Amino acid sequence: MLAFLILVVSLAALLLAADLLIRGAVAVASSMRISPLLIGLTIVAFGTSAPELVISVQAAWAGVPGIALGNIVGSNIANILLVLGVPAVFAPIATSQVGLKRNLTIMLVATAIFMAMCFTGSLDFIDGAILFALIIAFIAYSGIAAANRRKADPVIAELTDVESVGHVPQKRLTMIGYIIAGLAGLPLASHFLVESAADIAVLLGVDES
């Protein structure tokens, strides 16, 4: 029960830390008059994935790769089957938006590359470098495409909608405080989350992934 409690508390702390980091970073970037497009493609895009990123990094360092892989594979399965599936049960979801087919194709290609790498038996430095280079290339491509496209692209529009982040601090000291709290909270919460998840896997006799 203690391991489950630590898991739940760590998850909540992880989400809170990521939220604080995003709000603080967006506030600082906005105060420096950085383009909303650049803020969306970097701070918002990476910030929303920060919980999964720090969990996988922590799991890899802790020697529990099953949690690192299961975290990503599981979240993508849940995003497609649960996050899209449940809303579709209650109301139709249009799939004719501009840019959707392009991004679906990129998603499928990225998934195929990831699967091919996993079938080699391990993900090493070269694999990581290739995957990281691909996300940088995608961000650059999205930015260029958004700047040149006349038709509204809902994917880009969502990324550049800085207001969707919610209330951001206005005072510089508060901005810095948010960022520090986020940067400190993410690795700390991920550490306890990974440790508790590994303990639960051992107690239940199941694979970490």
Side-chain angles (χ1 to χ4, degrees):
M1 289 303 297
L2 179 60
F4 276 106
L5 179 61
I6 294 174
L7 181 72
V8 172
V9 173
S10 298
L11 180 59
L14 192 69
L15 296 175
L16 176 61
D19 185 64
L20 290 174
L21 178 61
I22 293 173
R23 291 174 188 265
V26 167
V28 171
S30 299
S31 68
M32 297 173 64
R33 301 184 183 280
I34 295 177
S35 166
L37 175 62
L38 186 59
I39 295 174
L41 290 173
T42 54
I43 297 173
V44 177
F46 281 95
T48 52
S49 296
E52 290 154 318
L53 173 62
V54 293
I55 288 174
S56 290
V57 170
Q58 178 65 38
W61 276 342
V64 282
I67 291 179
L69 267 178
N71 169 43
I72 298 305
V73 174
S75 66
N76 281 281
I77 291 175
N79 280 333
I80 295 172
L81 302 184
L82 179 66
V83 177
L84 274 179
V86 172
V89 169
F90 295 100
I93 300 175
T95 57
S96 57
Q97 293 94 337
V98 175
L100 183 61
K101 291 182 179 179
R102 180 190 69 250
N103 287 292
L104 280 173
T105 302
I106 293 173
M107 182 186 73
L108 290 173
V109 171
T111 302
I113 292 173
F114 169 68
M115 290 175 62
M117 289 178 174
C118 287
F119 280 125
T120 63
S122 66
L123 293 173
D124 55 23
F125 176 83
I126 299 299
D127 296 323
I130 291 173
L131 293 174
F132 185 69
L134 289 175
I135 187 61
I136 297 300
F138 172 71
I139 291 173
Y141 169 75
S142 297
I144 295 172
N148 296 332
R149 191 172 294 112
R150 294 180 179 179
K151 293 183 179 180
D153 186 332
V155 177
I156 300 298
E158 182 177 355
L159 282 175
T160 56
D161 184 14
V162 177
E163 293 182 357
S164 65
V165 173
H167 173 73
V168 295
Q170 301 301 318
K171 296 181 179 180
R172 183 60 59 90
L173 190 60
T174 307
M175 297 177 191
I176 302 300
Y178 272 38
I179 294 175
I180 293 175
L183 290 175
L186 281 171
L188 186 63
S190 68
H191 168 75
F192 285 106
L193 191 146
V194 169
E195 290 295 321
S196 60
D199 289 342
I200 291 171
V202 172
L203 289 172
L204 297 181
V206 299
D207 188 82
E208 292 162 352
S209 59

